[in-house]
Amino acid sequence: MTTENPLPERPSYTPGSAQPRLNRPVHERYPQIRPTSGYGDPRIQHTGPGPGAGTEQEPERSSKLSARLALALTVVIGQLWGLTIVVDEWMSGDTGTAWWGAGFLVLSFLVVLGLWALDPKDR
């Protein structure tokens, strides 16, 4: 029984550049790059963006803005619902209810405007 290698032998690597200086191994082309460059290189002092990166610097302000955003989104959803009701009532001919609904929409817009004006330094 003969043992044959099913894969043909790979040809030896010959770089394809016409410039001989580019055909040198990487460690000859870039002597400043060492195997330990990055984690063990003494020239590297700081490896990341710094302490506290990616964390919230002012959690109180963030929670206040999130609460205000949630309130404003709730009001906007209410305005969309109210607009649907007002248009439905107007189209069916009940203009009295439609005017009350329009008043609700104006009032809810004023609430959002008031939320926006609460703290001018957050803009």
Side-chain angles (χ1 to χ4, degrees):
M1 181 184 240
T2 61
T3 310
E4 291 183 23
N5 189 356
L7 297 175
E9 284 189 37
R10 291 184 178 193
S12 61
Y13 175 72
T14 55
S17 178
Q19 300 176 15
R21 65 182 182 85
L22 297 177
N23 293 332
R24 293 177 296 150
V26 174
H27 67 276
E28 289 179 16
R29 283 185 282 163
Y30 304 103
Q32 70 273 18
I33 297 177
R34 295 180 294 218
T36 58
S37 284
Y39 63 90
D41 196 338
R43 295 174 294 177
I44 297 176
Q45 300 296 320
H46 303 288
T47 58
T55 60
E56 182 59 54
Q57 302 297 320
E58 298 179 56
E60 293 85 13
R61 180 174 179 264
S62 175
S63 64
K64 182 171 56 171
L65 290 175
S66 296
R68 195 177 305 162
L69 179 66
L71 235 108
L73 286 174
T74 304
V75 171
V76 167
I77 289 171
Q79 284 179 327
L80 291 172
W81 171 78
L83 185 62
T84 304
I85 299 298
V86 166
V87 168
D88 189 40
E89 292 298 318
W90 184 270
M91 295 303 245
S92 67
D94 191 3
T95 57
T97 306
W99 283 113
W100 279 107
F104 166 77
L105 293 175
V106 169
L107 181 66
S108 63
F109 176 75
L110 292 175
V111 167
V112 171
L113 204 58
L115 288 172
W116 179 75
L118 273 178
D119 203 358
K121 69 180 174 129
D122 278 336
R123 286 184 235 128

